[in-house]
Amino acid sequence: MADSTPPAGASFLVSAPSPEETVIPDDLGQEERMLVGAVEDFAAQEVAPRMDAVTAGDHEVKRELFMKAAELGIFMAEVPEDMGGLDLNVLAITGMCSSDADLGGLGSMVYGHQGIGMLPIVNFGTEDQVEKYLFPCMEGAMVSAFALTEPGTGSDAMNIKTRAVLSEDGSHYVVNGSKQWITNASLADIFILFAKVDGELFTAFILDRFTDGIEVGEPERLLGQHGSDVAGLTLENVRIPTENVLGEVGKGHKVALCTLNMGRLKLAAGNATGAKKAVAQAARYAGERHQFGRPIAEFGLIQRTLSDMAARAYASDAMAYRTAGLVYQALEAMEARGEVTLETKLAALAEFSVECAMAKVYTSEAYNGLADDAIQVFGGYGFSEEYVPARMYRDSRITRIYEGTNEICRLYSQRAILKKWAAGSLDLTPGDAAPVSDGVGFGTMPERIAALKATYRRLAAAVVAHVGPEALADAEHQQFLGSLAEVAIEIYAAESAYLRVAKLAGRPDDGHHHVREALAELAMDRAVDRIRTEARTILGETSQRDQVRSAMSMVDAELPAPVPLMQARALVATKLVSWNGVVPQVTV
């Protein structure tokens, strides 16, 4: 497994990462695979038979399954050993959280508690807070919830209105305000609550559920994730002891951002698994369903759908683990130097926050899009709640909204990248891409990826020159950032798929390498197509009318030429059906 010091965040746009140093899903070791298998068994053996009760919101069943998750060690996974936990590494945690899509509404309860509910206490809790709250949370005796979002603020988390005022005797804070969309609200014993002290200092608190003045609203009726518990909170003169401040007064943004960055990484892994499950459902059905005397998997348009689904799922998986690997390698390098502290851990997550945001966007849209594709493959049956794709479609939709909406993640990623450029830590100066070696525009995969990166740099420079770096923060220029984000995200996804395939090429051949190469080609084709579209959008706005065609011609000359894909699609679809919908992994 790769363990060298990773590159700087977002540097993939200006460099050519080594396949050997890239972490891929196939890199998981025996211990990590055992953990993933244990959670998968829990989902299959304990949760699946009771999914109807979970979906119906049966609190007794959910609490029982929650305790079984605690017995499995899920809630101890990220807790350091000196706090009584398992202290698993980032890759193991990523693998563990990949099961989220298999748990239905229970997944929100389990991982809402394990991640955003517990990690703030792990990272910022005092000894007394750890003893009082963290230990019961690890054992499943307490349920924790993360209370940040408010009516009217949405994704503008730092602009919350909930106010905390220190009492005259300095013993407690009096809190007033309201929260919305709080997962585990009705079940929680404690809340990680955010408020502004004196209306200015953004601060995190631990709030006990049964404190006077708390009112939990009725559970929301949700489109998907049926059975999950989501509700609002009203806080009226709620008294929180000063010893329940989490971290420091005025430093609550550290608690929130650390939790959200890690949350996006975990969500990407869960999304990737959901995407793979959608592919498996579609492929199995296509192999079994007969029309006109043949399995529908033999029809060209179904093959195109299945192969394109498989390519997006394969890229999603590669993207999630590549991003986890960057954080893992950074933390491993720090540990080797004896530099692991809370601050350095936060710095590692912040360094790769761009990649975390982009992975969250790509994988969530893949999961939701592939669930929709699975419904289409099922035809009329896909629209029935009697078949799995219907639940997948409903459950996947929220992943594009929570942990920061995809719009916010797109804007954040590009503002962070352009800020690095302005600061001199990332050189996006445009330069011509090296000519492809075959002279006809196909070239090797690394050459084509380099061409895409040259296009990004050209477009970024055009946007900055047209708008001005400071004006990019203005709302009216968000479309530019959105287009740049599409380009960067597609590059990251296509390159992740290629790096995975290239790394596996150095391992014993299982006879399926040509299929994986086809998956990477399909991911590349999607990237080129979407990048060309966004280039037209940007150049149409930033170029003089009489120069648009020549500007686009320059980009077209850089972008890779189309390659034949019909045989590749047929190959992938045929193999996928024979594999029962699951692309084989290659272990070390």
Side-chain angles (χ1 to χ4, degrees):
M1 188 176 294
D3 58 3
S4 59
T5 302
S11 64
F12 74 93
L13 289 166
V14 296
S15 63
S18 163
E20 290 71 28
E21 295 181 356
T22 301
V23 173
I24 62 176
D26 314 73
D27 280 335
L28 288 180
Q30 184 176 1
E31 289 187 3
E32 286 109 350
R33 290 179 187 278
M34 288 178 62
L35 173 64
V36 173
V39 180
E40 289 177 345
D41 288 345
F42 168 68
Q45 298 172 14
E46 299 287 351
V47 180
R50 310 182 79 176
M51 186 61 77
D52 287 346
V54 169
T55 300
D58 188 322
H59 283 193
E60 184 176 339
V61 170
K62 288 171 61 180
R63 193 76 189 213
E64 180 183 338
L65 291 172
F66 182 83
M67 290 302 299
K68 288 182 180 293
E71 293 168 7
L72 197 60
I74 289 177
F75 306 144
M76 301 172 66
E78 273 183 282
V79 180
E81 289 182 355
D82 59 6
M83 292 182 179
L86 300 177
D87 200 18
L88 300 181
N89 65 48
V90 172
L91 295 182
I93 297 300
T94 301
M96 181 185 78
C97 293
S98 68
S99 67
D100 189 18
D102 294 331
L103 301 180
L106 183 70
S108 295
M109 181 182 183
V110 168
Y111 288 115
H113 170 78
Q114 181 273 331
I116 58 178
M118 287 179 57
L119 275 186
I121 306 175
V122 172
N123 290 329
F124 297 93
T126 64
E127 288 187 12
D128 288 343
Q129 290 169 349
V130 166
E131 183 173 351
K132 184 176 181 180
Y133 300 112
L134 183 61
F135 292 163
C137 282
M138 283 194 290
E139 296 167 354
M142 276 188 177
V143 179
S144 182
F146 190 81
L148 173 60
T149 305
E150 297 185 359
T153 60
S155 297
D156 188 12
M158 297 301 118
N159 195 32
I160 60 175
K161 305 301 181 186
T162 298
R163 183 183 178 95
V165 178
L166 187 63
S167 63
E168 290 186 4
D169 63 2
S171 64
H172 60 272
Y173 287 90
V174 179
V175 182
N176 286 276
S178 59
K179 298 292 179 181
Q180 191 176 36
W181 308 119
I182 308 306
T183 299
N184 289 343
S186 301
L187 298 166
D189 299 290
I190 58 172
F191 297 93
I192 306 301
L193 178 78
F194 293 84
K196 284 188 175 180
V197 173
D198 298 329
E200 297 181 359
L201 302 173
F202 191 84
T203 304
F205 299 86
I206 302 175
L207 171 62
D208 284 283
R209 163 65 180 275
F210 297 105
T211 305
D212 290 340
I214 299 174
E215 181 179 346
V216 179
E218 289 295 315
E220 298 285 350
R221 296 179 61 189
L222 304 176
L223 169 68
Q225 298 286 328
H226 290 172
S228 62
D229 180 73
V230 177
L233 302 177
T234 300
L235 309 166
E236 185 174 350
N237 294 326
V238 173
R239 296 159 62 95
I240 302 179
T242 53
E243 60 265 27
N244 277 30
V245 169
L246 191 57
E248 300 178 45
V249 172
K251 299 294 180 66
H253 62 283
K254 288 188 175 183
V255 181
L257 294 177
C258 171
T259 305
L260 290 175
N261 283 334
M262 193 64 192
R264 287 170 182 167
L265 178 56
K266 295 174 181 176
L267 182 59
N271 291 338
T273 296
K276 291 189 294 183
K277 298 286 186 181
V279 173
Q281 287 287 329
R284 291 167 190 162
Y285 184 82
E288 296 168 357
R289 174 70 169 173
H290 283 65
Q291 290 282 281
F292 308 106
R294 302 164 62 187
I296 64 172
E298 294 182 5
F299 295 110
L301 287 183
I302 297 296
Q303 290 182 337
R304 175 171 181 158
T305 298
L306 292 177
S307 60
D308 289 351
M309 289 175 71
R312 289 183 73 184
Y314 196 77
S316 293
D317 211 21
M319 201 176 189
Y321 279 88
R322 177 186 181 184
T323 306
L326 292 171
V327 177
Y328 167 77
Q329 289 167 355
L331 293 174
E332 289 289 293
M334 289 175 183
E335 186 172 350
R337 297 192 299 268
E339 298 175 354
V340 176
T341 64
L342 175 59
E343 292 300 321
T344 58
K345 180 180 179 181
L346 297 181
L349 284 169
E351 181 65 29
F352 301 107
S353 59
V354 166
E355 286 84 350
C356 289
M358 293 196 301
K360 186 268 184 185
V361 170
Y362 187 90
T363 60
S364 63
E365 293 179 359
Y367 181 17
N368 188 222
L370 299 191
D372 183 69
D373 288 340
I375 287 177
Q376 194 68 21
V377 171
F378 272 66
Y381 293 107
F383 204 63
S384 169
E385 289 288 355
E386 296 298 318
Y387 292 82
V388 175
R391 180 174 67 80
M392 284 186 163
Y393 184 76
R394 289 186 285 98
D395 286 354
S396 64
R397 187 58 182 85
I398 187 59
T399 64
R400 293 164 54 191
I401 297 173
Y402 58 24
E403 302 291 3
T405 66
N406 284 8
E407 290 74 22
I408 289 296
C409 287
R410 283 182 166 92
L411 294 175
Y412 168 78
S413 69
Q414 296 315 295
R415 286 172 177 157
I417 287 170
L418 296 179
K419 185 177 180 180
K420 282 174 174 282
W421 187 14
S425 60
L426 185 68
D427 185 5
L428 295 177
T429 304
D432 293 332
V436 295
S437 58
D438 59 16
V440 293
F442 295 153
T444 65
M445 189 67 80
E447 287 171 338
R448 285 184 275 167
I449 292 170
L452 300 186
K453 295 178 182 181
T455 299
Y456 175 86
R457 295 194 294 272
R458 186 183 301 281
L459 296 175
V463 168
V464 171
H466 182 73
V467 175
E470 294 183 359
L472 282 171
D474 298 339
E476 60 265 31
H477 299 309
Q478 288 184 355
Q479 289 192 59
F480 284 115
L481 295 178
S483 288
L484 285 176
E486 292 299 325
V487 176
I489 290 168
E490 289 296 336
I491 291 171
Y492 191 53
E495 184 177 58
S496 297
Y498 157 70
L499 291 169
R500 181 179 184 182
V501 173
K503 187 171 187 178
L504 292 176
R507 296 184 183 175
D509 186 12
D510 62 355
H512 304 314
H513 188 68
H514 60 304
V515 183
R516 297 186 187 93
E517 287 182 323
L519 290 170
E521 285 287 0
L522 291 169
M524 169 60 72
D525 180 72
R526 172 188 167 87
V528 173
D529 185 54
R530 292 173 70 87
I531 288 170
R532 181 177 284 109
T533 298
E534 299 303 336
R536 290 172 62 87
T537 299
I538 290 174
L539 295 176
E541 293 291 332
T542 59
S543 304
Q544 298 294 328
R545 290 186 66 86
D546 60 347
Q547 297 175 351
V548 174
R549 191 173 296 277
S550 62
M552 193 63 212
S553 295
M554 190 176 300
V555 170
D556 275 331
E558 283 183 346
L559 289 175
V563 298
L565 292 175
M566 289 188 182
Q567 287 187 344
R569 287 187 171 120
L571 168 68
V572 169
T574 301
K575 287 292 186 181
L576 194 63
V577 172
S578 71
W579 292 332
N580 207 26
V582 181
V583 177
Q585 284 197 336
V586 180
T587 57
V588 179

